[in-house]
Amino acid sequence: MHGNKQHLQKDFFLYNASKARSKTYINMREVSQRFRLPPSEYVIVPSTYEPHQEGEFILRVFSEKRNLSEEVENTISVDRPVPQPRSSDQESEEQQQFQNIFKQIAGDDMEICADELKKVLNTVVNKHKDLKTHGFTLESCRSMIALMDTDGSGKLNLQEFHHLWNKIKAWQKIFKHYDTDQSGTINSYEMRNAVNDAGFHLNNQLYDIITMRYADKHMNINFDSFICCFVRLEGMFRAFHAFDKDGDGIIKLNVLEWLQLTMYA
């Protein structure tokens, strides 16, 4: 690999043959190998026989000149959303459907709480037969309200709800792209690519945390957990940027600010 210090996608390994590898790839307590390679740039990929297992490894490098090896990490950042062109006919029809459902559930105040948001979203999502899901949980809906509640009422008005639904539609499109077998889940590797496609660029440690937090015992992530993860990522990035006044990527919080940030997200 020449000059590439970012996470390598699956296509890299499809079109680039390995320069050296273990002679046998079997389930043993220890596997070791020694290689002699010409000076160049290489990526070393340690792996376990079974996926999603943890194990220690030792890499020893002997070189005539200074060794500049380092762990491949991504820069932590988030893309600014780009407004997408809308189809006026489709948008007006969908908007009318939303207004009807919203009015039925919201009541006179035209605002919805977490329980009511759950009813609205699940009513709409259940109409998407190509999306295999049991719907959103109450905890996910609370996180959504925390993200979109701009006036601090603890509820969403129709405008805030529309903004939220546009985000969910964009994230739903990404989920369906990776859920090729329509199982209603994506695996942890696909989740890494999906997070990147959504504009969130994280490092290996954060991807591991996402997997531990949102994946099931088979390392699969369902639609509700997928959306909940994106909601919290966006909420945390938004909160960080609000505190990062000078834009240097460093913030200082007191205990109250820290608790408010973590509890609200």
Side-chain angles (χ1 to χ4, degrees):
M1 50 172 298
H2 296 284
N4 187 350
K5 296 185 182 298
Q6 297 297 312
H7 173 75
L8 298 173
Q9 302 295 319
K10 185 164 58 176
D11 287 349
F12 176 87
F13 298 97
L14 291 176
Y15 299 109
N16 292 274
S18 58
K19 300 298 182 182
R21 62 190 304 167
S22 301
K23 290 182 179 178
T24 55
Y25 197 73
I26 56 178
N27 190 11
M28 295 183 64
R29 182 173 181 178
E30 179 179 303
V31 175
S32 62
Q33 197 79 35
R34 179 176 293 188
F35 305 103
R36 184 180 183 91
L37 300 169
S40 185
E41 294 183 36
Y42 298 95
V43 56
I44 294 93
V45 185
S47 67
T48 52
Y49 187 75
E50 297 289 342
H52 309 300
Q53 300 294 318
E54 291 188 4
E56 294 182 350
F57 69 92
I58 297 175
L59 173 66
R60 183 179 287 121
V61 179
F62 299 96
S63 59
E64 294 180 357
K65 297 182 179 180
R66 183 184 176 190
N67 174 26
L68 300 176
S69 62
E70 61 183 2
E71 184 178 358
V72 175
E73 290 279 10
N74 289 344
T75 302
I76 299 174
S77 64
V78 60
D79 295 339
R80 297 297 180 184
V82 178
Q84 299 294 325
R86 299 175 179 177
S87 172
S88 57
D89 294 338
Q90 183 179 358
E91 190 70 21
S92 59
E93 182 181 350
E94 185 179 78
Q95 185 174 0
Q96 188 61 46
Q97 292 177 353
F98 272 127
Q99 286 178 348
N100 294 335
I101 297 172
F102 196 90
K103 288 177 181 177
Q104 291 173 8
I105 297 177
D108 296 334
D109 62 351
M110 283 300 288
E111 288 192 327
I112 55 175
C113 63
D115 286 297
E116 293 168 331
L117 175 61
K118 180 182 175 182
K119 292 179 183 178
V120 176
L121 288 178
N122 289 343
T123 298
V124 177
V125 168
N126 287 337
K127 295 181 179 180
H128 291 259
K129 302 303 181 183
D130 58 337
L131 187 64
K132 189 177 180 180
T133 176
H134 297 296
F136 295 102
T137 63
L138 183 60
E139 185 60 31
S140 297
C141 293
R142 285 171 176 160
S143 297
M144 294 177 195
I145 287 183
L147 174 67
M148 305 306 304
D149 179 24
T150 56
D151 56 7
S153 65
K155 298 182 178 181
L156 297 184
N157 58 35
L158 183 58
Q159 183 178 1
E160 291 168 337
F161 176 76
H162 267 299
H163 192 191
L164 170 64
W165 179 246
N166 286 334
K167 288 183 177 296
I168 292 176
K169 281 199 301 182
W171 295 335
Q172 173 188 311
K173 186 177 180 181
I174 296 173
F175 184 86
K176 290 170 66 176
H177 171 73
Y178 288 102
D179 183 21
T180 53
D181 59 355
Q182 295 186 351
S183 64
T185 63
I186 61 175
N187 63 40
S188 57
Y189 179 82
E190 293 167 332
M191 184 63 176
R192 175 191 285 265
N193 293 335
V195 168
N196 188 70
D197 289 352
F200 303 107
H201 309 296
L202 312 177
N203 62 14
N204 293 331
Q205 183 181 3
L206 290 173
Y207 284 121
D208 289 343
I209 290 173
I210 286 176
T211 301
M212 288 187 293
R213 171 65 177 83
Y214 295 102
D216 61 19
K217 63 181 180 180
H218 303 295
M219 295 298 167
N220 293 323
I221 299 167
N222 63 30
F223 183 65
D224 175 61
S225 297
F226 178 86
I227 296 297
C228 188
C229 175
F230 282 13
V231 166
R232 292 191 173 177
L233 277 174
E234 178 150 334
M236 295 302 288
F237 269 110
R238 181 184 295 180
F240 184 90
H241 290 150
F243 283 106
D244 187 18
K245 303 296 184 183
D246 53 4
D248 64 350
I250 299 174
I251 62 175
K252 184 178 180 179
L253 304 176
N254 59 37
V255 175
L256 176 60
E257 291 171 332
W258 168 251
L259 289 175
Q260 287 176 330
L261 177 62
T262 53
M263 293 293 287
Y264 198 62

